[in-house]
Structures are given as C-alpha cells and as structure tokens.
Amino acid sequence: MGNGSLNENRKRLVEILDVIRRHDILKGLSPEKLCAIIEDLGPTFIKLGQIPSMRSDILPKEYCESLKKLRGDVAPMPYGQVMEIIEKVYAKPVDEVFSDFDREALGSASIAQVHSAVLKTGQRVVVKVQREGIHEVMSRDIMLLKQACKLLKYTPVGDLVDFTQVLNEMWIVAQEEMNFQTEAANLEKFHKLNEKAAFISSPKLYRDYTTTRILVMERVEGMAIDDVQGLVDAGCDCNELGSRLAGNYVKQIIHDGFFHADPHPGNIRIRDGNIVWLDMGMMGSLSDGERKIIGKALMGVARGDIRACVDAVMALGEFHGAVDKRMLYRGVEEIFDKYASAGLGSMDLAKVFDDITRVMRENNISMPASLTMLARGLATIEGVLADLSPDINVLSVVKARLSGRFFEDMDLKDMIKRDAIAIYDSVNKSLEIPALLADMMRAGIKGEAGIGVEHHPGTDMARLLREIALKLSISAVASALIIAAGLLWQAEPKLGGISWYSAICFIAGICAFAAAFFKKNGRR
C-alpha cells in the first residue's frame, strides 16, 4: 500500500472518529444517534447501515427499526461517467451495444444506479451499472469502522451489541450485492423454480450482456402492488392478487427453499394481472433439513404447539454459552399464552417473530442469517398484504399449504422402510426371549442358578407361555407385512406416489403389531 493510500486511510479514519466524537457516543448510543452518525458518514455507510436492519437476532429491535428508515438514494453518477464504465467493461463503444440509452437514471444508490435502455436487437431493458471503485471504498470503510468501533466497548451499548459480528455480516452481504453475477444467478434460479407457477413471473435476464459490474434485464412495465386504488380501477381483484402473492411466497419458503428476502412494495409489480418479482440481489436459501424444521415450527405456531417451536429453536439455533432449556421453554410458553386468544386471521406474525427473537437472545441463542432474513421477509410480506388484501393472513396460508402437503412431508416411503427395519430388529430380538426363558428355567430347576423363585408349573405358566407365543406369532406376521410394504412401495397402482399394496400392507402391519402388544394390556 502506497503513501497516498495510507494518507487517504488516515484522513478517512479521522473523519470517522470526528463524527463519532461529535455525537458523543461515550454518553450512550441510541438508535436515533446511530442513524445520525451513519448519515453523517456518507452514502456507503448508509448502504452498510441498511444491511443489519434485518438481523434482529444480533441487534436489538429498536436499532433494527431505526436502521430501516435510512434512505439509500444518493446523487446520481454523471452520465459521462456511466458511459465510461460501460465502455470499459464491454471494451467497445456504448452505441455498439445499445441503440438508445436514457441519460436520466431511473434510480441511484450507493452501490449502483439504473438506466433504461434499448438493445441493438430491439429489446427494452434496464441496465444496472456499478459505481467506479465502490468495492475498494466499502472495503476501506469497513476496515476503518472496525478500528473506530473499539471505542464502543466503553459505552453502555458495548455490552448489548457485538459490533464486530455486525460489521462482518455487513461486509459479507455487501460483497454479494456488489457482484452482479450473484444477482444474475438468483434471477435464473428464481425463474426456473417459478416457470410453472401460474400468475407469477420475473424479469428476463440478458446473460450475454451481464458481468460482475453490469446487469442487464428486461424492463418491466406495470403497476406498483401498493397502488391499491389504481389496481381496482384497472379491474384487478385485490383479494385474488393477495391470495396469489401469499401462496407464492409460502411456496418459495416451504417448497423451493429459495425466497425473496426483501419483498417490499417497490420489488413487486403487477403486469397484465401477473405478479412480477423484481430485484433478486438479496435472496434467502434454506436447506431441506431447515425447511422441514421451519415447517414444523410454523405449524407449531399455528396449532399452539410449544414443544414443536422449542425443538425447532434447539435444532436451528446457534448457541453462545450454556442454554437452560427449561427457561427457554418458559419463554416460548409465555409467547403462546400472549397470543392464545388470537386467531390465525388476526395474529401478527411480525410480532410473534420479534417475541421469539427476544426470547432467543435472552437465552444466548442466535439464528443463521437465512432464518432472520426469513423472519423479516414474512413480516414485510404481511405488511404488503395488510394494504392489498387485509383478509389474507400469511400464517393461515402456511397452515393450509403444510396441511395439504402432509403425506408428502411425512415421506411415507422412508417411514415404511425405516419402521420395517426397526420392527424386524425388534421381532428378531423378541424371538430370543423364549430360549432365554427356557435356559433360565432349566438352570433354576437343576439348581444351577439362584434366580430367587421356585418353579411351580401350572395353569398360569401355561397361559403366560401361550400369550408369549401368540404375541410372537402376530409380531412375526406384522413384521412380514411391513417388510412387504417396504418392498412394494413402487408397485402399481399408486396414490400420491405410494403403492396401494404398500399402504395396505403397512397399515395392516401396524394394526397387527398394535394388537399383539396392547391386547388385554390391563389383564393380570
């Protein structure tokens, strides 16, 4: 690093420290004061400040709410500078790529700005152009901010927030947003997952024109989803739109495991009656295991099942120190008591998640970034629906979808195989019992073992042996039926992907097994 860079870094660090001192953080750091500091530090910090607003597990709720209010609009780049960047990236004159390029930006933010254009092939597109040197500027500011934030450990908020963790999260997300290939890949994946979804679409990506610094995609005309009166005047059924929007968002979470993490009204448009999702720069991903656990947790919320929610928190949470499960259980129980009188149609999912996050923080538990993004996404989409169609409730849609997928989520094929093996092993072990009893009885009769009982053969012993033999026989039949179910699960005819023969054998086997061990259960 040259002297010039060192001098620039020193100068910028002095600016940062001066702003921090001016706001007198040694007397405390309120949410309002934090936002004022960020705004004074400039546009790159405004963008960085917006990122942790969704991490209510590492920042107190009041700070997140305040950071959400930061406005990311900044002065646009001069038109000439935009042209220079495009020609530098494409290594050719702009007019060889675009037949028309609007001088006025559609929008301008700290990382990039967007212009409307027309390709030489005639398609109307929007072009997202990254600011010159933004990666280096943000990298430097993050590094310097880490140094400056050492002062925060001497403030009351120092024990409340781990600013190193917050800054690391900010940098990870910022780097993803500065690589437009990531957003391009998100667009392609989202389009593929929703290509068969009725009334749902997303902008077409022009891959040949897209690089890490320039993103070219279809220009989407249409109405903003929060323009309710305009939609009504255009003949749209807002309740139907709300139902489709909620259903698709739940599908993204439960079925796809790939969801829009920032579904605010500016990122959703209505075109020809279809819902068009925009801006795929921030997407959340869930593994198969996470989706199943989240599904159970959401059903737990819907049914008031406290244990399901506690189990989900224990399965998904990242623990920082010892966790008192009884204290966690009591905290979650208090939340359910709080919402016990609220029906699904009136439950505020955002508040439920806020309360759960608070309980987790009190128990030294944090969630992976994807799950906090999910919580914020659900809260945001609920706000959109409240304006568009107040009668639609996301939690009700979740419950309906999960209930409709009950047999698929149960994974009957795996369950049949797993239970067949378990019962086979159990019966195998139980078959050893008569031989062991016989050996013990022979040893007792011969006086070879002091088993503490006297042998008096009679009707009771005969009845006991008959019952053991009957149970073992029924268990053997049950085991055979369940093993047959496992072998026949692909046989025709099928219902929901499961063979009729397999299902019948499985149910008969379970019934036989239950009959063997619960018949005359109370008899002596």
Side-chain angles (χ1 to χ4, degrees):
M1 184 180 291
N3 290 331
S5 297
L6 287 171
N7 289 333
E8 288 177 8
N9 288 352
R10 289 194 191 101
K11 183 179 177 182
R12 183 58 170 158
L13 181 58
V14 169
E15 290 176 4
I16 293 172
L17 292 173
D18 184 57
V19 169
I20 291 175
R21 288 194 192 99
R22 201 185 323 137
H23 287 276
D24 201 7
I25 65 165
L26 293 179
K27 292 184 178 179
L29 184 66
S30 66
E32 295 75 19
K33 189 182 289 187
L34 177 60
C35 286
I37 290 172
I38 289 172
E39 288 172 346
D40 285 352
L41 288 171
T44 60
F45 278 91
I46 290 175
K47 178 60 187 177
L48 292 170
Q50 291 171 331
I51 293 170
S53 66
M54 68 182 67
R55 294 304 308 270
S56 55
D57 61 323
I58 60 176
L59 271 181
K61 179 187 175 184
E62 58 270 23
Y63 286 85
C64 292
E65 292 300 320
S66 188
L67 289 172
K68 287 178 185 177
K69 299 172 185 175
L70 288 170
R71 293 186 59 82
D73 294 338
V74 299
M77 288 186 287
Y79 179 74
Q81 188 178 354
V82 174
M83 295 295 100
E84 288 176 8
I85 294 171
I86 292 175
E87 291 182 353
K88 180 180 177 181
V89 171
Y90 288 148
K92 64 176 67 175
V94 174
D95 58 13
E96 289 186 16
V97 183
F98 304 101
S99 61
D100 184 57
F101 197 98
D102 284 1
R103 297 183 68 90
E104 297 295 323
L106 292 173
S108 183
S110 55
I111 288 180
Q113 69 184 42
V114 178
H115 288 260
S116 180
V118 179
L119 293 172
K120 296 289 283 186
T121 50
Q123 293 95 337
R124 289 176 57 81
V125 297
V126 291
V127 184
K128 189 174 181 180
V129 183
Q130 188 174 120
R131 289 179 179 270
E132 187 71 41
I134 188 63
H135 190 282
E136 292 76 13
V137 170
M138 280 199 167
S139 175
R140 179 201 63 189
D141 283 354
I142 284 283
M143 178 191 69
L144 296 176
L145 193 57
K146 283 184 178 180
Q147 296 181 33
C149 279
K150 291 176 183 177
L151 293 174
L152 293 175
K153 66 182 179 181
Y154 302 111
T155 72
V157 81
D159 295 329
L160 188 63
V161 180
D162 183 351
F163 277 97
T164 299
Q165 183 184 3
V166 173
L167 289 170
N168 288 337
E169 293 279 349
M170 288 161 64
W171 183 230
I172 290 170
V173 176
Q175 288 183 94
E176 289 178 354
E177 288 203 33
M178 285 186 286
N179 183 356
F180 292 168
Q181 291 288 7
T182 300
E183 184 172 350
N186 290 341
L187 268 168
E188 291 176 322
K189 183 174 181 179
F190 186 89
H191 177 76
K192 185 175 181 180
L193 289 170
N194 289 276
E195 60 185 349
K196 294 182 181 179
F199 311 109
I200 302 296
S201 65
S202 56
K204 176 185 176 182
L205 172 72
Y206 288 90
R207 169 60 75 179
D208 293 342
Y209 298 88
T210 296
T211 71
T212 57
R213 296 187 59 200
I214 296 178
L215 180 68
V216 181
M217 54 189 164
E218 173 190 7
R219 172 74 184 268
V220 175
E221 307 291 350
M223 304 178 68
I225 198 163
D226 58 348
D227 182 7
V228 178
Q229 189 57 52
L231 292 171
V232 171
D233 293 342
C236 294
D237 184 337
C238 289
N239 286 328
E240 183 66 24
L241 285 175
S243 178
R244 292 171 182 173
L245 179 64
N248 180 253
Y249 199 67
V250 172
K251 168 191 171 291
Q252 292 176 34
I253 298 165
I254 301 298
H255 187 273
D256 301 338
F258 186 71
F259 60 92
H260 202 297
D262 195 19
H264 64 75
N267 287 337
I268 310 170
R269 298 188 75 81
I270 305 300
R271 179 179 62 182
D272 300 328
N274 293 330
I275 296 169
V276 187
W277 291 90
L278 307 176
D279 192 355
M280 306 290 176
M282 195 176 295
M283 303 293 289
S285 295
L286 301 170
S287 67
D288 289 344
E290 287 175 335
R291 281 190 289 123
K292 288 181 180 178
I293 294 170
I294 288 168
K296 291 177 182 177
L298 290 173
M299 281 296 283
V301 172
R303 295 182 307 201
D305 185 346
I306 300 171
R307 183 172 295 277
C309 292
V310 173
D311 289 346
V313 169
M314 297 295 287
L316 296 171
E318 297 173 355
F319 303 100
H320 306 284
V323 175
D324 186 338
K325 191 170 182 180
R326 286 176 297 180
M327 182 178 172
L328 173 63
Y329 197 98
R330 283 196 298 271
V332 176
E333 191 172 27
E334 287 174 4
I335 294 172
F336 277 96
D337 289 343
K338 178 179 177 181
Y339 296 103
S341 60
L344 285 181
S346 60
M347 189 177 290
D348 187 334
L349 198 55
K351 290 182 179 178
V352 173
F353 273 113
D354 282 341
D355 285 338
I356 291 175
T357 300
R358 173 184 52 78
V359 169
M360 288 166 53
R361 190 186 300 114
E362 290 171 353
N363 287 274
N364 303 315
I365 303 172
S366 65
M367 282 294 182
S370 59
L371 299 183
T372 54
M373 290 169 73
L374 170 60
R376 177 182 170 177
L378 283 168
T380 304
I381 205 75
E382 212 170 44
V384 174
L385 289 169
D387 293 332
L388 179 67
S389 178
D391 294 334
I392 304 295
N393 178 269
V394 177
L395 198 52
S396 298
V397 177
V398 169
K399 185 175 181 181
R401 180 171 284 273
L402 288 173
S403 299
R405 289 171 54 86
F406 177 73
F407 286 102
E408 182 179 344
D409 290 342
M410 263 204 321
D411 204 346
L412 264 177
K413 300 172 188 175
D414 287 345
M415 189 172 75
I416 287 172
K417 292 177 183 177
R418 184 174 63 251
D419 289 353
I421 293 170
I423 292 176
Y424 176 78
D425 288 342
S426 298
V427 172
N428 241 4
K429 290 177 181 177
S430 67
L431 289 173
E432 298 174 6
I433 293 175
L436 290 172
L437 284 173
D439 288 344
M440 290 172 66
M441 290 172 66
R442 279 196 299 270
I445 292 169
K446 291 179 181 180
E448 294 174 357
I451 58 176
V453 295
E454 292 184 29
H455 176 58
H456 297 291
T459 56
D460 287 343
M461 179 62 73
R463 187 177 68 250
L464 174 62
L465 291 175
R466 280 197 301 271
E467 287 184 2
I468 290 174
L470 179 61
K471 287 183 178 181
L472 289 173
S473 299
I474 296 175
S475 296
V477 172
S479 180
L481 285 168
I482 291 179
I483 291 171
L487 296 173
L488 293 171
W489 66 268
Q490 286 186 323
E492 298 290 345
K494 293 183 179 181
L495 176 64
I498 300 293
S499 167
W500 273 100
Y501 298 121
S502 178
I504 291 170
C505 287
F506 180 72
I507 293 169
I510 291 295
C511 291
F513 192 73
F517 287 92
F518 294 104
K519 184 179 180 182
K520 300 180 183 179
N521 196 39
R523 182 174 168 180
R524 292 287 183 271

